[in-house]
Amino acid sequence: MAGFFSRLKQGLSRSSERLNSVFVKRLLDDDTLEELEDELIAADLGPAVAERIITKFRETSFGQNVTSEEIRATLAHEISHVLEPVAVPFTPDPEKKPHVVLVVGVNGTGKTTTIGKMAHQYRQEGKSVTLVAGDTFRAAAVEQLQVWGERVGAPVIAGKQGGDAAGLAYDGLKRATEEKTDVLLVDTAGRLHNKNALMEELAKIIRVMKKFDDTAPHSVLLVLDATTGQNAIEQVRVFQELVNVSGLIVTKLDGSARGGIVVALAEKFKLPVHMVGVGEKAEDLRPFSAQDYARGLVGEAATP
Amino acid sequence: MSKVFEGLSRGGKLSESDVSEAMREVRLAMLEADVALPVVRSFVKNVKERAVGGEVLDDVSPGQAVAKIVNDALIEALGGAGVVPLNLSAPAPIPFLMVGLQGAGKTTTSGKLALRLAGRDRKKVLLASLDVQRPAAQLQLQQLAEQVGQQTEGRVTSLAIVDGQQPVEIARRAMETGRREGYDVVVLDTAGRLAIDEALMDEVRQVRDATSPAETLLVVDAMTGQDAVNTAQAFKDQIGITGVVMSRMDGDARGGAALSMKAVTGAPIKFTGSGEKVSALEEFHPERVAGRILGLGDVAGLVEKA
Ligand SMILES: Nc1nc2c(ncn2[C@@H]2O[C@H](COP(=O)(O)OP(=O)(O)OP(=O)(O)O)[C@@H](O)[C@H]2O)c(=O)[nH]1
Ligand SMILES: Nc1nc2c(ncn2[C@@H]2O[C@H](COP(=O)(O)OP(=O)(O)OP(=O)(O)O)[C@@H](O)[C@H]2O)c(=O)[nH]1
Ligand SMILES: [Mg+2]
Ligand SMILES: [Mg+2]
């Protein structure tokens, strides 16, 4: 099984080749810094954050005669400094039966798949898991989650297409509580954060669950696609405001996108980043590592 | 943005410094809109060359003049005015191939295209899912086909699902069924794939070779960031693209990926997705997207004058 680092590495090799040509220069001068800044922009950090990182980097390293590896390592260190505080692992609270996790996000980011992966992980740890097919809107969304349920050995609470997601979540919570299930994972339909009616529907799911247990949901996880650019900032802002997001998950890091927007998110919102998705299979979920992520962003992963 | 344009000094010709200052802001606006860096670079360079020394009419400020040049250049770079229609001139059944990254909106867009073709063009459309990767993917397309079929007097159906069949076989069976049952168009929906996944890119190449699609449409999420250029380049080089569909334009992303896509593939952007419903497909209007990318909605009137 490929590790987080090497999966990341495959996706990064293209961009890192370009970075390498930057790093052969020995003197850290204005030109080199500008090229580095451009590379960070090309990794989706955004122009403002890229500039800030490079400015700090300039303070520590400008004018030095350094090897390419040193530049890379220092820059990665600078970035991992930003990411370190948000690298918080996700562990369901064993005291809670169930620990209720609501999974939200815009369309197609990987919510349902991530629920399948999380369920797989907790099942492997010997925990009992129940899934709620809260996407009653999209074609075959229920069946998609049911396949995951069968794969990992977790019952799926499902209603009919077009049904009320909040009611379903309530039923799921009631049943999981009666059965003393360890973890309840609630899937929701993808929704764009700028659509008020859909966001209100999400708030309703939470309200209705609270009628059964006013501490639920215990976690609200926002799933972000690593391919997403600057719009991720708006996504986090609105979801956090309306449904009190407790943590982030970044998917599709096995691709060529480097997910640099996470640096901007870490600076701005300081929300925990719990895990990353690195493929479509059940085992393709990793804890978020600030160091690995930062190295990936500056292309350090590409050197053997 | 508009303030920058307004702030430029008045005079007869656009000076180098007038233009440079404005273009620095344009560069930033484009990067914030997720236009890929190399695309921004070449755009800014071209517009600079075009603008410096240009005449400024008496009743407009240099700022307005630059704004107009930028806006016009952006519309042109996005493909210019006028909609590029789907290629329906091949002999029936006409194969369309839908490709793109995971979760981009291919399956939904397949349903939308079927509705459009069966509705306004009265075509008989067969939807075939070649997605053997994602759980319930074939069922998703089947349910969409049922939905669209009901809205079009049964002119849209989906290919029967045969468990265990591989994508190339499914594609052949779809074309075969299309011929035998008199379909006008066969839409081949494929599994999402990473541009760096050699095995899956090879698979879709085989599907292409087996079916010779009249359109190969790359479906791209409007929220895509800088990676748009890598995706565009890889799909263009390895499969060949005849058109692009930008999905999720109903969000509030600035949509700079549209420009990256057009710049790299050279293929026209044919449609935008504006919602999850099968009716939410629009023709692409470069002038609207240009304003959105520059964040210059408020400058439309200003540009009008210049
Ligand atoms: N390569 C890769 N693909 C992923 C990853 N996570 C999810 N996917 C794929 O992305 C696509 C969308 O995933 P879903 O789980 O259906 O996304 P969703 O957020 O539930 O989508 P909606 O419910 O339609 O909003 C599927 O093809 C998944 O297999 C990942 O980490 N890497
Ligand atoms: N808001 C909005 N949602 C869309 C649009 N197009 C697709 N979607 C949604 O995006 C999600 C993913 O769409 P799919 O059609 O399943 O994407 P796909 O490319 O087929 O995904 P894979 O087959 O897993 O690669 C679904 O929730 C769709 O409803 C659009 O234009 N606007
Ligand atoms: Mg889902
Ligand atoms: Mg699909």
Side-chain angles (χ1 to χ4, degrees):
Chain A
M1 188 184 70
F4 169 73
F5 205 64
S6 61
R7 290 300 288 263
L8 211 53
K9 197 156 118 180
Q10 293 170 1
L12 292 173
S13 53
R14 275 179 76 105
S15 349
S16 332
E17 276 161 26
R18 275 182 288 130
L19 266 180
N20 277 330
S21 68
V22 171
F23 286 124
V24 288
K25 291 181 188 164
R26 288 294 184 265
L27 180 69
L28 197 59
D29 55 11
D30 282 326
D31 282 351
T32 311
L33 283 170
E34 199 181 305
E35 277 179 69
L36 282 172
E37 187 174 328
D38 281 353
E39 291 300 337
L40 293 184
I41 290 172
D44 283 322
L45 274 83
V49 175
E51 195 194 328
R52 260 202 306 286
I53 299 261
I54 293 298
T55 304
K56 281 201 84 181
F57 186 54
R58 173 191 290 272
E59 284 163 14
T60 53
S61 313
F62 188 79
Q64 287 178 18
N65 247 334
V66 278
T67 69
S68 55
E69 277 69 32
E70 281 167 334
I71 298 178
R72 226 188 295 234
T74 318
L75 186 55
H77 184 77
E78 201 70 65
I79 295 172
S80 85
H81 194 69
V82 178
L83 296 177
E84 210 70 69
V86 300
V88 183
F90 184 79
T91 326
D93 181 352
E95 300 293 308
K96 299 197 169 75
K97 305 264 181 219
H99 183 117
V100 182
V101 183
L102 183 69
V103 179
V104 302
V106 301
N107 310 79
T109 53
K111 295 174 290 300
T112 307
T113 308
T114 302
I115 285 178
K117 293 174 183 176
M118 288 172 75
H120 172 71
Q121 185 186 326
Y122 302 141
R123 292 293 296 133
Q124 297 271 301
E125 292 166 6
K127 298 189 175 87
S128 55
V129 179
T130 297
L131 311 179
V132 176
D135 183 352
T136 58
F137 179 78
R138 213 208 58 216
V142 173
E143 290 86 346
Q144 184 186 0
L145 191 70
Q146 279 167 336
V147 172
W148 276 108
E150 273 161 39
R151 256 184 212 174
V152 306
V156 180
I157 314 277
K160 51 181 186 310
Q161 175 100 8
D164 175 33
L168 205 63
Y170 184 94
D171 293 346
L173 175 54
K174 185 162 174 283
R175 183 170 142 188
T177 307
E178 283 160 7
E179 293 172 358
K180 295 192 170 56
T181 304
D182 294 311
V183 187
L184 182 72
L185 300 169
V186 183
D187 193 14
T188 62
R191 69 199 72 223
L192 293 174
H193 51 285
N194 61 335
K195 301 202 168 170
N196 296 336
L198 297 180
M199 294 304 287
E200 172 48 34
E201 194 183 276
L202 208 50
K204 183 182 161 196
I205 295 179
I206 296 177
R207 266 201 315 275
V208 171
M209 278 199 286
K210 282 196 189 302
K211 283 186 190 159
F212 187 85
D213 173 357
D214 65 5
T215 66
H218 307 105
S219 308
V220 178
L221 303 182
L222 175 63
V223 179
L224 297 168
D225 182 333
T227 326
T228 308
Q230 302 304 303
N231 191 246
I233 294 174
E234 207 45 27
Q235 289 173 28
V236 174
R237 191 183 68 72
V238 178
F239 272 97
Q240 188 185 22
E241 193 178 304
L242 296 184
V243 296
N244 216 353
V245 171
S246 62
L248 308 177
I249 296 170
V250 184
T251 62
K252 308 183 196 175
L253 270 169
D254 47 326
S256 49
R258 290 191 277 163
I261 193 66
V262 171
V263 181
L265 295 173
E267 275 196 351
K268 205 172 169 72
F269 300 100
K270 303 184 167 52
L271 276 171
V273 184
H274 294 307
M275 24 193 154
V276 299
V278 292
E280 300 185 71
K281 296 200 197 68
E283 56 281 2
D284 293 333
L285 191 66
R286 305 275 181 279
F288 176 77
S289 152
Q291 246 187 30
D292 288 353
Y293 208 94
R295 281 194 206 146
L297 283 173
V298 303
E300 198 182 41
T303 35
Chain B
M1 261 313 284
S2 51
K3 268 193 236 100
V4 173
F5 288 130
E6 283 298 353
L8 299 182
S9 61
R10 284 176 185 268
K13 280 191 186 335
L14 290 170
S15 74
E16 169 112 42
S17 73
D18 280 346
V19 175
S20 290
E21 193 192 328
M23 291 316 287
R24 253 197 303 280
E25 295 299 320
V26 169
R27 175 182 182 274
L28 214 58
M30 291 178 96
L31 286 174
E32 272 156 11
D34 292 321
V35 180
L37 186 61
V39 178
V40 174
R41 274 204 201 110
S42 78
F43 180 83
V44 166
K45 184 166 165 282
N46 289 341
V47 173
K48 243 187 204 164
E49 282 165 10
R50 212 145 108 178
V52 174
E55 292 286 345
V56 182
L57 298 176
D58 282 348
D59 58 342
V60 296
S61 73
Q64 290 168 337
V66 178
K68 175 157 172 59
I69 293 167
V70 169
N71 197 59
D72 288 353
L74 192 50
I75 291 171
E76 194 186 305
L78 283 165
V83 173
V84 184
L86 289 169
N87 174 15
L88 290 169
S89 61
I94 307 170
F96 284 3
L97 184 62
M98 311 296 291
V99 298
L101 300 180
Q102 283 93 347
K106 296 172 294 299
T107 306
T108 309
T109 305
S110 300
K112 291 176 178 181
L113 278 176
L115 176 62
R116 190 182 187 87
L117 291 165
R120 68 179 72 182
D121 301 328
R122 319 278 308 168
K123 301 284 185 201
K124 207 177 150 199
V125 184
L126 181 65
L127 287 171
S129 170
L130 280 50
D131 186 347
V132 297
Q133 305 283 332
R134 167 172 168 172
Q138 302 193 26
L139 202 59
Q140 183 188 0
L141 192 66
Q142 181 184 308
Q143 290 183 7
L144 285 169
E146 278 163 20
Q147 206 179 313
V148 177
Q150 277 165 16
Q151 295 174 35
T152 55
E153 295 153 344
R155 282 192 295 278
V156 176
T157 33
S158 61
L159 185 73
I161 297 171
V162 176
D163 284 336
Q165 228 177 25
Q166 290 308 296
V168 180
E169 293 173 81
I170 301 174
R172 288 215 179 90
R173 181 161 60 88
M175 293 312 293
E176 184 60 45
T177 307
R179 256 188 296 276
R180 200 176 51 235
E181 298 180 10
Y183 283 90
D184 300 304
V185 178
V186 175
V187 179
L188 304 165
D189 177 28
T190 63
R193 65 202 69 228
L194 298 169
I196 54 170
D197 188 329
E198 279 166 31
L200 284 183
M201 290 300 271
D202 185 53
E203 174 201 278
V204 78
R205 236 183 344 261
Q206 288 177 36
V207 170
R208 177 201 64 191
D209 293 345
T211 56
S212 310
E215 291 276 6
T216 302
L217 300 175
L218 178 63
V219 182
V220 183
D221 183 342
M223 304 181 284
T224 308
Q226 295 285 322
D227 188 55
V229 277
N230 298 329
T231 302
Q233 193 71 53
F235 277 89
K236 179 197 177 186
D237 291 349
Q238 298 184 44
I239 305 164
I241 297 300
T242 61
V244 174
V245 180
M246 299 301 301
S247 69
R248 298 194 198 114
M249 288 293 276
D250 48 327
D252 57 5
R254 300 261 296 274
L259 184 61
S260 307
M261 282 294 144
K262 181 68 178 71
V264 175
T265 65
I269 299 167
K270 298 211 163 172
F271 296 102
T272 57
S274 55
E276 296 176 64
K277 298 212 179 77
V278 281
S279 54
L281 188 72
E282 326 263 323
E283 271 150 5
F284 179 66
H285 294 283
E287 61 288 352
R288 288 183 209 159
V289 177
R292 188 166 163 165
I293 290 176
L294 290 171
L296 276 182
D298 53 336
V299 140
L302 194 151
V303 170
E304 210 98 291
K305 278 192 279 167

